[in-house]
Amino acid sequence: MSADRINRIAVVTGGSRGIGAAVAADLSAAGHRVVLAARDAEALEHAAKALPGPVLTVPLDVTAPGAADELFGRVEAEWGPAEVLVCAAGAGASAKLTETTDELWEAQLALNLTAPFRCLRRALPPMRAAGWGRVVVVASTAAKVGAPYIAAYTAAKHGVLGLVRSAAAELAGSGVTVNAVCPGYVDTPMTDATVAAIVARTGRTEDEARAALARMQPIGRLIRPEEVAAVVRLLLDQEALNGQAVTVDGGGVQS
């Protein structure tokens, strides 16, 4: 991407913290204009102040009806059509399958599958018309393998990987690529919430719970957000990478 032209307009959902914030920082440092979208306006402004380049903040809930139109309409009005989209907004939830409520199920699908779908649907036509665009969806290793107690999250992430692959096939040769990155446990607030859930469910200490998650990566530690951001940049830079789901977990899921 940077070799082609700097100053691209890049939209990052979930850009106020975690992987989204790391991706935004990487893109801004590379010379691109960055749009940060997330629910927490205060957190968005804090993240925006850390970026070295031009930034536009759009506080909204990506699961709300009409949110994608609001987001991309705002970007187009202020800067022009989005050229890069990174869907990093997401969250997990833990429950036994038999205790997964309809509300939990629907919330996981809304955030982790429907919101990316709506963003792709809104962002792709201008990219295709321009003959250039890059989309990366932050999925998870849960998009590739199942695990206990996260049925709704796993189903949503498997679904979003299917969305990525179908979109990539549909857009092949258009100059627009669609890929996914599939991290393991990353040192982010989302993992902090997972640690808290483990503590509440098992009685382990926070250190014990965090160490157990770290051991799930063969490298013996949590993945750093900057490591995921580096893979996102690779997917943005290469036209030959399309329809791919790159795992970033230290070698646990080999595919």
Side-chain angles (χ1 to χ4, degrees):
M1 182 178 65
S2 56
D4 182 57
R5 181 164 69 86
I6 62 171
N7 206 31
R8 295 284 187 187
I9 300 170
V11 174
V12 182
T13 69
S16 64
R17 55 175 59 93
I19 292 172
V23 169
D26 183 81
L27 293 176
S28 183
H32 304 291
R33 289 180 284 172
V34 177
V35 181
L36 299 179
R39 290 177 295 181
D40 189 331
E42 184 177 348
L44 275 178
E45 292 305 321
H46 179 75
K49 289 177 181 177
L51 301 187
V55 59
L56 174 65
T57 59
V58 184
L60 50 67
D61 180 352
V62 292
T63 68
D69 287 335
E70 179 183 348
L71 171 58
F72 290 96
R74 171 84 181 278
V75 174
E76 288 162 0
E78 301 226 9
W79 283 353
E83 298 165 285
V84 173
L85 169 62
V86 180
C87 294
S94 177
K96 291 181 179 179
L97 176 60
T98 54
E99 297 173 3
T100 298
T101 64
D102 285 355
E103 291 76 17
L104 186 154
W105 176 266
E106 290 163 3
Q108 285 294 289
L109 293 181
L111 178 57
N112 296 307
L113 177 55
T114 302
F117 158 70
R118 289 171 174 165
C119 285
L120 264 69
R121 182 176 62 185
R122 180 60 176 78
L124 287 173
M127 292 182 184
R128 189 162 196 169
W132 196 95
R134 297 288 184 267
V135 177
V136 177
V137 175
V138 178
S140 166
T141 53
K144 296 185 174 183
V145 295
Y149 310 122
I150 54 170
Y153 179 74
T154 299
K157 291 300 186 179
H158 270 67
V160 85
L161 184 52
L163 170 68
V164 163
R165 288 169 168 164
S166 184
E170 189 170 323
L171 292 160
S174 69
V176 182
T177 65
V178 185
N179 291 287
V181 60
C182 298
Y185 284 100
V186 184
D187 192 5
T188 64
M190 180 173 166
T191 295
D192 293 340
T194 301
V195 168
I198 293 171
V199 170
R201 188 174 65 243
T202 68
R204 295 182 187 180
T205 68
E206 182 177 325
D207 287 344
E208 289 170 340
R210 190 171 293 276
L213 296 181
R215 287 194 298 271
M216 295 180 72
Q217 280 72 226
I219 55 177
R221 62 168 175 82
L222 299 177
I223 306 302
R224 294 188 294 272
E226 295 77 14
E227 292 173 311
V228 182
V231 177
V232 171
R233 173 83 80 84
L234 173 66
L235 293 171
L236 298 177
D237 281 343
Q238 302 296 326
E239 185 177 9
L241 292 172
N242 191 31
Q244 302 306 306
V246 182
T247 304
V248 187
D249 73 341
V253 178
Q254 298 181 353
S255 64

